């Protein structure tokens, strides 16, 4: 009887040892897979980082009227955020607070355009006060180069004549498919489709 119990105990221990051995192999395999995935993820991050740097630089230099104002864009990746640095010809970081309001808006616009391009997702873009902080030349660059290419559907919310002049409207007219006006009366708003463009600039 004791012999049978001992054999059973030995068999049970051997079975547990085999399971432990199998679990150890699974653990080692899981660790290898994890490290490989981590390496792949890191390579993708670095690839996207360089691609985003290039895209922001091209975007800013195409929209700004200052020639070669920004020599390089450098992105530092942290655990849960990115830090974007603008570098001048001398290799110095440009203080983004020193940029004019219009240049800051162009910087934000370039980041938005780059993120949309890098995401590969063609989602609609909504822009409030689209040209408010731009001078005439910057506005023209934005109208010609930015709005027509950023997405298939772009919705602008300008105040007529304050944030969009008739001349600026004519520049983008060929890309416009529909125009609506938001009318506010005694605290109630309604949306009205516009057929006669002249009504917008009365």
């Amino acid at each position: 009887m004791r012999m049978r119990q001992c054999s059973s105990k030995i068999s049970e221990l051997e079975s547990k040892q085999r399971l432990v051995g199998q679990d150890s192999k699974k653990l080692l395999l899981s660790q290898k897979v994890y490290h490989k995935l981590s390496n792949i993820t890191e390579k993708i991050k670095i690839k996207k980082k360089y691609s985003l740097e290039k895209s922001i630089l091209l975007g800013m230099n195409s929209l700004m009227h200052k020639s070669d104002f920004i020599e390089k864009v450098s992105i530092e990746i942290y655990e849960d955020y990115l830090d974007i640095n603008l570098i001048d010809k001398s290799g110095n970081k440009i203080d983004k607070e020193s940029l004019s309001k219009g240049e800051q808006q162009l910087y934000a616009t370039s980041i938005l355009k780059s993120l949309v391009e890098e995401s590969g997702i063609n989602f609609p873009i909504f822009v409030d006060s689209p040209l408010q902080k731009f001078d005439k030349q910057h506005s023209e660059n934005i109208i010609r180069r930015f709005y027509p290419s950023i997405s298939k559907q772009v919705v602008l919310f300008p105040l007529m004549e304050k944030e969009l002049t008739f001349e600026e409207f004519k520049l983008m007219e060929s890309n416009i498919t529909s125009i609506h006006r938001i009318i506010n009366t005694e605290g109630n708003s309604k949306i009205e489709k516009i057929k006669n463009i002249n009504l917008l600039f009365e």
Side-chain angles (χ1 to χ4, degrees):
M1 189 73 174
R2 286 181 181 175
M3 194 70 168
R4 201 176 300 163
Q5 286 178 340
C6 284
S7 297
S8 177
K9 196 69 175 174
I10 290 169
S11 178
E12 185 183 336
L13 288 171
E14 286 175 343
S15 178
K16 284 183 178 178
Q17 192 171 1
R18 278 196 298 272
L19 288 172
V20 169
Q22 289 172 3
D23 287 344
S24 296
K25 287 179 182 178
K26 287 179 184 177
L27 179 62
L28 286 172
L29 181 61
S30 298
Q31 288 174 338
K32 284 181 181 178
V33 170
Y34 172 77
H35 288 308
K36 282 186 178 180
L37 287 174
S38 295
N39 288 335
I40 291 169
T41 302
E42 194 59 35
K43 285 178 182 177
I44 291 171
K45 275 185 181 180
I46 292 170
K47 185 178 178 181
K48 284 292 182 183
K49 167 186 176 298
Y50 290 133
S51 181
L52 194 59
E53 286 173 344
K54 184 179 178 182
S55 182
I56 293 171
L57 178 63
L58 287 173
M60 289 203 71
N61 282 335
S62 68
L63 294 175
M64 296 183 79
H65 55 67
K66 290 182 181 177
S67 179
D68 298 325
F69 174 58
I70 297 164
E71 180 72 17
K72 180 182 175 184
V73 172
S74 173
I75 295 177
E76 296 176 28
I77 301 175
Y78 298 96
E79 193 168 334
D80 55 356
Y81 72 97
L82 299 175
D83 191 12
I84 302 172
N85 297 307
L86 307 178
I87 312 297
D88 64 18
K89 281 185 173 182
S90 302
N92 300 316
K93 284 185 186 179
I94 298 170
D95 181 6
K96 291 188 279 285
E97 293 298 318
S98 69
L99 299 175
S100 69
K101 293 298 180 184
E103 288 168 345
Q104 289 178 9
Q105 188 81 354
L106 284 176
Y107 169 63
T109 300
S110 299
I111 292 174
L112 173 61
K113 186 174 188 295
S114 301
L115 290 173
V116 171
E117 289 173 350
E118 291 300 316
S119 73
I121 302 170
N122 205 352
F123 47 79
I125 301 296
F126 296 82
V127 185
D128 189 21
S129 303
L131 303 171
Q132 186 180 27
K133 295 173 182 173
F134 298 130
D135 59 27
K136 186 177 179 181
Q137 191 171 354
H138 280 141
S139 294
E140 189 171 332
N141 284 342
I142 289 287
I143 290 167
R144 291 185 185 278
R145 300 176 186 177
F146 178 68
Y147 291 136
S149 63
I150 187 173
S151 181
K152 286 185 178 179
Q153 185 179 21
V154 180
V155 181
L156 305 181
F157 295 94
L159 291 172
M160 293 299 110
E161 288 297 346
K162 287 187 177 180
E163 297 169 357
L164 182 69
T165 65
F166 181 72
E167 290 74 20
E168 289 166 344
F169 171 80
K170 296 303 285 184
L171 285 175
M172 66 172 71
E173 188 175 15
S174 61
N175 292 304
I176 295 173
T177 57
S178 180
I179 302 172
H180 296 77
R181 180 166 57 181
I182 300 173
I183 301 172
N184 187 284
T185 308
E186 296 180 356
N188 296 313
S189 296
K190 67 176 182 177
I191 298 175
E192 174 184 84
K193 188 167 185 177
I194 298 295
K195 294 181 181 178
N196 184 353
I197 303 304
N198 293 323
L199 293 175
L200 291 173
F201 297 94
E202 288 179 338

